Amino acid sequence: MKRTSLLILLAVLAVVGDAKVLLPQLFQSGMVLQRGKTIPVWGKADPQEKVIIRWNKHQYATIADANGRWRVDLPKMKAGGPYTMMVNDVVLTDVMVGDVWLLSGQSNIDVTIERVYPQYTDEIDHFDYPKVRLFRVQNETNTHGVQDDIRPTSINWKPLNKQNAWLFSAVGTFLGKRMLEKTGVAQGIIVNSWGGTPIEAWISADSLMRDYPLQVEKTRLYQNDEMVKLQQQFNQQADQRWRQLLDAADPGIAGRFTALDYDDRAWKTVDQYQNEWAKQHGRGIVGSIWLRQHVHIDKAHAGKPARLLLGTLFDADFTYVNGKEVGRTYYQYPPRRYDIPEGLLREGDNVITVRFVNKYGTVHFIEDKPYLLAFGDDRFSQNPMPKDVIPLSTRWLHHAGAEMPACPSGDVSLQNMATTLYNAVLYPLAPYALSGIVWYQGESNSGNPAPYADLLRKLMGNWRALWKEPTMPFCIVQLAKYMYPTDAGYKNWLKLRDQQRLVAEGDRYAEAADIFDLGEENDIHPLRKKEVAERVGLCFDKLVFGK
């Protein structure tokens, strides 16, 4: 009997020793907690396990419920730190108390510091703000319902420096820097966005069901995980097969059209902006197209490193200089900025070759973008433009590639369906205490702007209810200028922008940041994100700080 009792006791002790408190992904060393508000801390443990939080020289205890869930609300604090928080055996260090901002929406929140670097080269080169902490929510969807936590992420309360910010939201980075300079307290920037997503994806099923039931029902069609997996596998295999056949049929593949000494005298000369060369039978060619341009390099520039600016192209491109690939981009939006290594450019004749690949539409160059070779230490800057440049001609030598049928697609874009992002990446963040929310979205709803005000009100009410803060401040970033007045979608952008204005005017805890003048007619992702962050900051100066 004694031996049996001893074994039982040892087994119990082993279980207790293995018991772990699990904190949400937001709770990590380096985090910023919100000043001036109750600080919720929550997580999971074994059912009925005692949870002890040691924080700011005090101890707080609770018991996990029958499902292992627990929560402790720590008292309000003034800004300060760094602190250490202990939750049972979990130790979190370098914890700051300051202001926390949540930025959400679509691709204009996604635009990174790397993308806007040429606008602010000197400022970004000198980023060093350890009291600004960056957190990027990892993209994920859920068609079944809300989930407890987000996925692990690589940018998890990293201090603001050039390296950590390089692939982080430019608006978020500049907002954190700006608010630190204004307040002097630590800033936590949580970015939770996904390019191309409509507002409906960010709203709960309950909030949408009454007025938009079909959107919710469509999401339910995709609750069969095996079906979704099969469709995604089909898309991957179809894309792989399409590219294999394209490469097999393309006469310029395997370096034939890219070599400097290739004889291109029979190629036809075309203008990059008169793109009949990209059409067949009145329609855009699906497949590949080749363009070459000869550039004379003088002795002063020969052998020197350079940056090739190819504006913005539609759609994918593979770009070569003297037969060596210098860059590739797989979709239309990013600026083409390709670095040419030292020694590649020679004195005399050089050749730039671009292989376009597209699955739909018509290959084209975007007008009013820079097309040039830049030299010198300032070649990475575009504000101002570098001093030592060789402009490219708008005239190119043209050769057909391979024309292809459309790539078959059973596209599954769960992130564009109602509720999927609310379930997976919004719901798990609450009730992490926040100072305010930035909402920068609308491009993907511009095709039907009429219901946008209603949807935005639902989103704001939905999120405020989730955080149990009916006065949660919202800064609504209005759509920037885009397209020309003669373009088909121009009026819809105006209408959606006005819907954003109406919501802000009707909500005493919301403000609209007007960034119309910061836009670019020919670019859906304008680059002046520091100025956007400044206007967002002005909204919060009023909403949060009463200025």
Side-chain angles (χ1 to χ4, degrees):
M1 288 292 294
K2 289 183 179 179
R3 179 177 175 80
T4 302
S5 299
L6 179 60
L7 290 174
I8 292 173
L9 177 60
L10 290 173
V12 170
L13 290 174
V15 170
V16 172
D18 288 339
K20 293 289 185 182
V21 170
L22 297 178
L23 294 170
Q25 289 294 320
L26 279 172
F27 288 87
Q28 300 189 38
S29 293
M31 66 183 177
V32 179
L33 300 174
Q34 179 60 45
R35 62 171 168 162
K37 290 185 178 182
T38 299
I39 302 171
V41 182
W42 72 98
K44 289 184 177 181
D46 290 336
Q48 306 305 315
E49 182 179 351
K50 187 174 184 179
V51 178
I52 299 175
I53 300 177
R54 295 174 175 85
W55 168 251
N56 193 29
K57 301 179 182 180
H58 292 82
Q59 182 171 298
Y60 308 87
T62 189
I63 302 294
D65 66 17
N67 296 313
R69 300 177 185 276
W70 59 269
R71 172 175 167 173
V72 174
D73 288 341
L74 303 178
K76 300 176 184 179
M77 290 183 62
K78 294 182 180 179
Y83 297 97
T84 296
M85 176 183 288
M86 295 184 63
V87 184
N88 284 17
D89 60 346
V90 179
V91 181
L92 305 179
T93 60
D94 192 28
V95 177
M96 304 296 292
V97 177
D99 293 324
V100 183
W101 312 97
L102 172 62
L103 288 78
S104 195
Q106 56 180 114
S107 56
N108 270 298
I109 285 289
D110 280 344
V111 168
T112 63
I113 285 293
E114 183 276 332
R115 179 83 72 86
V116 306
Y117 177 67
Q119 297 290 312
Y120 316 101
T121 51
D122 184 65
E123 182 172 359
I124 293 171
D125 283 342
H126 291 89
F127 274 172
D128 185 18
Y129 300 93
K131 290 176 70 174
V132 178
R133 309 290 172 83
L134 312 176
F135 189 100
R136 181 63 167 93
V137 176
Q138 186 72 23
N139 287 347
E140 188 177 10
T141 62
N142 193 319
T143 60
H144 298 275
V146 296
Q147 61 191 52
D148 291 333
D149 201 4
I150 56 176
R151 295 168 56 192
T153 179
S154 60
I155 305 179
N156 46 10
W157 298 119
K158 302 291 187 183
L160 171 51
N161 56 42
K162 181 179 177 181
Q163 179 180 352
N164 292 335
W166 195 243
L167 298 180
F168 193 77
S169 163
V171 174
T173 300
F174 284 118
L175 178 65
K177 177 177 178 289
R178 189 259 189 202
M179 300 308 282
L180 173 66
E181 292 169 346
K182 293 291 183 181
T183 66
V185 308
Q187 300 294 311
I189 303 295
I190 302 172
V191 169
N192 186 21
S193 54
W194 195 327
T197 54
I199 191 172
E200 294 90 335
W202 297 93
I203 305 175
S204 72
D206 289 345
S207 298
L208 290 173
M209 194 61 194
R210 187 188 71 179
D211 298 317
Y212 306 93
L214 291 181
Q215 293 205 39
V216 178
E217 291 300 326
K218 179 181 178 181
T219 301
R220 289 175 177 169
L221 290 174
Y222 288 83
Q223 289 179 340
N224 185 323
D225 294 338
E226 184 63 26
M227 178 192 75
V228 171
K229 181 179 179 181
L230 289 172
Q231 285 188 291
Q232 290 172 337
Q233 289 175 345
F234 168 79
N235 287 339
Q236 292 171 359
Q237 292 173 8
D239 180 76
Q240 183 179 26
R241 182 59 177 159
W242 189 88
R243 292 182 182 278
Q244 288 174 346
L245 293 174
L246 172 68
D247 289 349
D250 194 325
I253 209 69
R256 184 183 171 205
F257 286 173
T258 62
L260 176 61
D261 59 359
Y262 172 75
D263 185 357
D264 55 20
R265 288 176 295 178
W267 287 31
K268 181 180 178 181
T269 300
V270 298
D271 186 282
Q272 66 185 39
Y273 298 127
Q274 304 296 324
N275 63 342
E276 290 304 312
W277 48 267
K279 297 178 181 179
Q280 186 82 336
H281 309 300
R283 295 178 297 182
I285 295 171
V286 171
S288 64
I289 296 173
W290 293 86
L291 297 179
R292 281 167 62 95
Q293 179 170 154
H294 290 265
V295 181
H296 180 81
I297 300 295
D298 59 25
K299 184 176 182 179
H301 294 97
K304 292 188 175 179
R307 170 160 277 204
L308 172 62
L309 301 185
L310 280 178
T312 307
L313 308 174
F314 181 93
D315 187 33
D317 74 283
F318 299 77
T319 297
Y320 306 81
V321 172
N322 294 343
K324 179 180 176 61
E325 183 177 334
V326 294
R328 62 175 67 180
T329 304
Y330 292 108
Y331 64 110
Q332 62 178 304
Y333 294 119
R336 271 53 170 183
R337 303 191 293 246
Y338 298 143
D339 291 318
I340 301 175
E342 184 176 1
L344 184 56
L345 292 173
R346 67 177 197 173
E347 185 177 358
D349 185 45
N350 296 260
V351 69
I352 299 168
T353 309
V354 180
R355 183 197 188 210
F356 285 93
V357 174
N358 72 306
K359 294 183 177 181
Y360 68 96
T362 304
V363 164
H364 59 274
F365 292 77
I366 305 299
E367 294 190 48
D368 299 321
K369 293 288 185 179
Y371 297 91
L372 54 86
L373 283 167
F375 297 85
D377 293 339
D378 65 347
R379 65 185 181 276
F380 302 105
S381 173
Q382 288 180 230
N383 184 28
M385 290 296 291
K387 301 180 182 67
D388 188 4
V389 303
I390 298 177
L392 298 184
S393 170
T394 62
R395 309 287 285 176
W396 293 79
L397 298 172
H398 165 266
H399 195 292
E403 189 170 3
M404 292 285 291
C407 181
S409 175
D411 186 39
V412 181
S413 298
L414 297 181
Q415 74 274 14
N416 295 331
M417 297 182 189
T419 80
T420 56
L421 299 182
Y422 175 88
N423 292 341
V425 293
L426 193 281
Y427 180 87
L429 303 184
Y432 198 90
L434 305 173
S435 193
I437 295 173
V438 180
W439 178 251
Y440 188 176
Q441 189 276 340
E443 298 92 337
S444 289
N445 288 88
S446 61
N448 180 25
Y452 192 81
D454 179 56
L455 288 164
L456 183 51
R457 291 187 189 101
K458 288 183 187 299
L459 178 139
M460 293 164 65
N462 188 189
W463 291 20
R464 285 167 172 162
L466 179 61
W467 262 268
K468 295 183 172 57
E469 286 198 46
T471 62
M472 176 73 79
F474 267 82
C475 174
I476 303 163
V477 183
Q478 291 181 279
L479 295 185
K481 173 175 58 179
Y482 178 56
M483 295 185 285
Y484 298 92
T486 54
D487 291 339
Y490 183 81
K491 290 183 178 179
N492 275 355
W493 274 60
L494 295 180
K495 292 175 182 178
L496 193 135
R497 191 180 295 113
D498 201 49
Q499 297 272 293
Q500 294 170 319
R501 176 188 63 82
L502 290 172
V503 172
E505 287 183 352
D507 189 317
R508 62 183 297 190
Y509 305 110
E511 287 287 337
D514 182 353
I515 63 165
F516 183 84
D517 59 308
L518 301 179
E520 302 174 32
E521 291 92 344
N522 58 1
D523 200 331
I524 201 171
H525 300 119
L527 298 181
R528 294 173 63 190
K529 298 306 187 195
K530 178 183 178 181
E531 292 82 348
V532 173
E534 173 62 27
R535 296 185 193 182
V536 169
L538 289 171
C539 291
F540 288 131
D541 286 349
K542 178 181 178 182
L543 290 169
V544 178
F545 303 110
K547 296 182 181 179

